[in-house]
Amino acid sequence: MEPCVLAIDLGASSGRVIAALIEGKTLRCHEIHRFANEPVRCCGSLYWDVLYLFNQIKKGLTLAGQHYEVKSLAIDTWGVDFGLLDESGRLIENPVCYRDERTRGILTELSSVLSMPELFAQTGNTPDEINTLMQLAALKKQRPEVLERAHRLLFLPDLIGYFLTGRQACEFTIASTSQCLNPQRTGIHEALLQRLGLRPQLFAPLRYPGEVLGCLKAEIAEECGLGQVDVVLCGAHDTASAIYALPTEDPHPLFLSCGTWAILGQILDQPVITEASAKLGVSNEGSPGGKTRLVRNCTGLWIIQQCKAQLERQGMPFSYDEIEAMMGQAQSYEGLIDTQAATFREWGQTIERIHDALKATGQPLPKTPGELFWCVYQSLAVQMKLAFDELEALTQQPSDTLYMVGGGCQSATLRQKIADATGKRVVAGPVEATALGNIAVQLIREGLVSDHAAITELIQNSEKIITTLPEKSMEAQIQRLKQIQAQMRDYAQA
């Protein structure tokens, strides 16, 4: 059988197991297994069904073992969420989803202990209710008995790695999303955690991309029909892996990882922890290779996904290709929404939320699903223009090229609108950048590829990369969105 490495790539809406093999100067990837990932609401909380995910991963490993000689595997997931183990190493409860309401208002409560600017200065991360630190603070207040039982906190990829190997670790890139690292990113910020009444000992020692976590447990290897398999630490935060697969050797590229979240940013040599970066709401996160991802989290395809799901429940299922076609007939519709408004982070009733926002700003409602999706796509593009302008003003490293990865780059409409709004050349692809970045770390670790430059060449030779140039100005829409944002602020304060 052919030797391969496996990427276990868990997103907030689906997971997949992907095998990768080198063929000459190209990389061949085979999606072995794909499965849904939906949070489960139970007893007033929103949980991730991590045991279901683990079982699906084992199914993927079994299928991979039937076709390939698996040399290694690595796991990446979204950031901030975690599981807690007791002293015996057993999971106390399913991990809680970052969209759970338990952190509502927690920033205000923490402000009585330390200011939000100070918290940014202490960690280099913008305070956000979804961050691990806020989740821990909420847990300490609401369910202190759970924290008292907890012996170890493991971020989601580290938790899956623990299930597979029995080894506990705190991978650097995923930990950098938590707001629990010191600003030098050399370890857990013990003084900060203690100040908030939290135990630094909850965290395992920091480990880094390229290190081996351990071997697959013998019983799991036997169950899945595998031999000895190394479980390697990749950039365990999915965005860290995605950016590692950008098809460029530019040392400071502008990027947009467009999935459920739109994560925009720039790769820099050092963190930027200043008053200006605090006001902008950026975070300094880790990357394979030790550089800094200066990132800003914006609402992404979550709004599209929620609208699509809601229409399906109403008996109107549409594929993404059908949505693209419908938008072609809807471009006379001019409604815009502030996609960064807090209401669009919420779960459910998204179409009604869009209608409420349009009514509040005196705009006509969409009459067709095509107009609804056109409104969201165009609004996302204009919002990204505003965000990139602010980012480039901060870093003083402007670029005429924007690298776009993730599921969003499959939309020709979104690619073109982002190019038009930003005025930049948009280089889109690879779509499966997260899995490829995961794979890249393993290929270098296994000695199958020499360095990152060789990875970039493999990706350029193997993946569909689409370049989109600006066609027409969106200045009128940009100015209208600024007015709408001001109206929405007034509406929220009323």
Side-chain angles (χ1 to χ4, degrees):
M1 289 191 288
E2 297 176 288
C4 79
V5 301
L6 294 181
I8 297 172
D9 173 29
L10 297 182
S13 59
S14 66
R16 62 216 121 237
V17 178
I18 297 175
L21 308 87
I22 295 177
E23 292 183 341
K25 294 184 178 181
T26 65
L27 187 63
R28 175 161 61 93
C29 292
H30 174 204
E31 186 178 282
I32 302 288
H33 185 46
R34 179 180 285 261
F35 46 94
N37 178 24
E38 295 182 0
V40 179
R41 189 168 294 282
C42 179
C43 300
S45 294
L46 194 63
Y47 294 100
W48 295 111
D49 192 349
V50 70
L51 298 182
Y52 163 81
L53 296 177
F54 181 56
N55 198 43
Q56 292 298 317
I57 288 166
K58 289 194 292 182
K59 287 183 180 180
L61 297 183
T62 300
L63 290 169
Q66 293 170 1
H67 297 90
Y68 301 105
E69 179 191 356
V70 179
K71 306 298 291 184
S72 69
L73 63 88
I75 309 118
D76 66 78
T77 79
W78 65 96
V80 307
D81 286 343
F82 57 88
L84 295 172
L85 306 180
D86 65 17
E87 281 195 274
S88 66
R90 293 184 181 276
L91 186 65
I92 293 175
E93 65 177 14
N94 271 331
V96 175
C97 175
Y98 60 84
R99 294 189 189 276
D100 185 79
E101 296 179 359
R102 65 177 174 173
T103 56
R104 190 76 55 82
I106 195 67
L107 295 181
T108 301
E109 294 186 28
L110 287 182
S111 295
S112 64
V113 180
L114 74 170
S115 70
M116 294 301 102
E118 181 185 0
L119 184 54
F120 176 80
Q122 289 285 325
T123 62
N125 294 79
T126 291
D128 193 309
E129 287 185 346
I130 71 172
N131 289 353
T132 310
L133 185 67
M134 313 314 171
Q135 294 193 44
L136 287 172
L139 187 59
K140 180 178 183 295
K141 177 188 176 186
Q142 299 161 13
R143 302 178 66 201
E145 72 281 359
V146 175
L147 271 185
E148 288 171 8
R149 284 184 61 198
H151 175 71
R152 179 69 77 216
L153 179 153
L154 294 179
F155 295 103
L156 261 294
D158 298 326
L159 182 62
I160 298 295
Y162 168 70
F163 289 166
L164 292 172
T165 67
R167 302 287 184 86
Q168 299 177 9
C170 181
E171 190 277 327
F172 167 62
T173 68
I174 199 80
S176 74
T177 71
S178 68
Q179 200 143 46
C180 294
L181 293 187
N182 61 42
Q184 297 78 28
R185 299 178 302 150
T186 56
I188 295 299
H189 198 320
E190 295 187 6
L192 173 64
L193 292 178
Q194 289 169 347
R195 185 173 174 184
L196 297 177
L198 300 169
R199 287 180 284 128
Q201 296 79 11
L202 278 175
F203 295 84
L206 278 185
R207 301 282 298 277
Y208 295 87
E211 296 183 23
V212 175
L213 174 63
C215 288
L216 203 62
K217 287 180 181 178
E219 61 268 27
I220 293 178
E222 182 179 359
E223 177 185 350
C224 299
L226 300 174
Q228 181 171 312
V229 177
D230 284 338
V231 178
V232 175
L233 297 174
C234 63
H237 183 219
D238 50 13
T239 307
S241 277
I243 302 313
Y244 198 59
L246 292 180
T248 179
E249 285 301 294
D250 181 345
H252 305 297
L254 281 175
F255 62 81
L256 169 63
S257 179
C258 191
T260 300
W261 290 91
I263 302 176
L264 55 89
Q266 191 165 24
I267 296 294
L268 301 174
D269 295 324
Q270 299 294 331
V272 180
I273 305 177
T274 63
E275 184 177 344
S277 61
K279 288 181 179 178
L280 186 55
V282 296
S283 288
N284 295 272
E285 297 178 353
S287 289
K291 288 193 173 184
T292 293
R293 285 177 293 128
L294 187 69
V295 299
R296 186 173 180 184
N297 287 359
C298 295
T299 303
L301 299 182
W302 166 255
I303 304 178
I304 298 294
Q305 293 162 353
Q306 288 291 291
C307 288
K308 183 174 181 291
Q310 190 171 344
L311 289 171
E312 286 176 358
R313 291 192 295 270
Q314 296 171 2
M316 292 182 284
F318 297 113
S319 70
Y320 283 105
D321 287 342
E322 288 172 327
I323 290 171
E324 287 282 312
M326 288 189 300
M327 286 192 294
Q329 306 299 315
Q331 296 185 16
S332 61
Y333 179 71
E334 296 184 349
L336 292 172
I337 58 171
D338 178 7
T339 57
Q340 283 300 92
T343 187
F344 296 122
R345 282 191 178 190
E346 302 293 333
W347 184 279
Q349 302 299 307
T350 302
I351 295 174
E352 289 79 2
R353 296 174 192 277
I354 291 171
H355 288 178
D356 288 345
L358 290 167
K359 290 175 185 176
T361 50
Q363 301 180 83
L365 302 185
K367 296 178 180 178
T368 65
E371 289 185 350
L372 173 72
F373 287 113
W374 174 252
C375 169
V376 178
Y377 273 106
Q378 186 160 240
S379 300
L380 286 170
V382 177
Q383 179 59 54
M384 290 173 196
K385 154 67 176 176
L386 301 180
F388 273 112
D389 281 354
E390 292 173 334
L391 182 71
E392 289 181 292
L394 175 67
T395 66
Q396 293 295 298
Q397 296 192 48
S399 175
D400 61 1
T401 300
L402 171 61
Y403 291 92
M404 182 178 176
V405 296
C409 67
Q410 297 178 91
S411 169
T413 299
L414 188 58
R415 294 195 304 267
Q416 189 62 62
K417 299 314 294 182
I418 290 174
D420 291 344
T422 62
K424 298 181 185 297
R425 180 176 74 119
V426 174
V427 178
V431 173
E432 293 286 0
T434 298
L436 288 168
N438 175 320
I439 288 161
V441 170
Q442 295 184 71
L443 293 177
I444 294 172
R445 172 66 181 75
E446 294 292 323
L448 299 173
V449 171
S450 58
D451 54 22
H452 187 262
I455 288 291
T456 301
E457 183 178 359
L458 272 178
I459 290 172
Q460 291 172 336
N461 292 342
S462 310
E463 296 296 314
K464 184 178 182 180
I465 309 295
I466 300 173
T467 298
T468 303
L469 301 176
E471 290 183 351
K472 57 183 179 181
S473 171
M474 291 181 65
E475 186 60 31
Q477 291 92 331
I478 293 165
Q479 294 306 317
R480 276 203 303 118
L481 182 59
K482 290 179 179 179
Q483 294 171 357
I484 287 165
Q485 288 175 329
Q487 286 178 275
M488 289 302 292
R489 284 194 293 271
D490 292 342
Y491 173 71
Q493 293 168 3

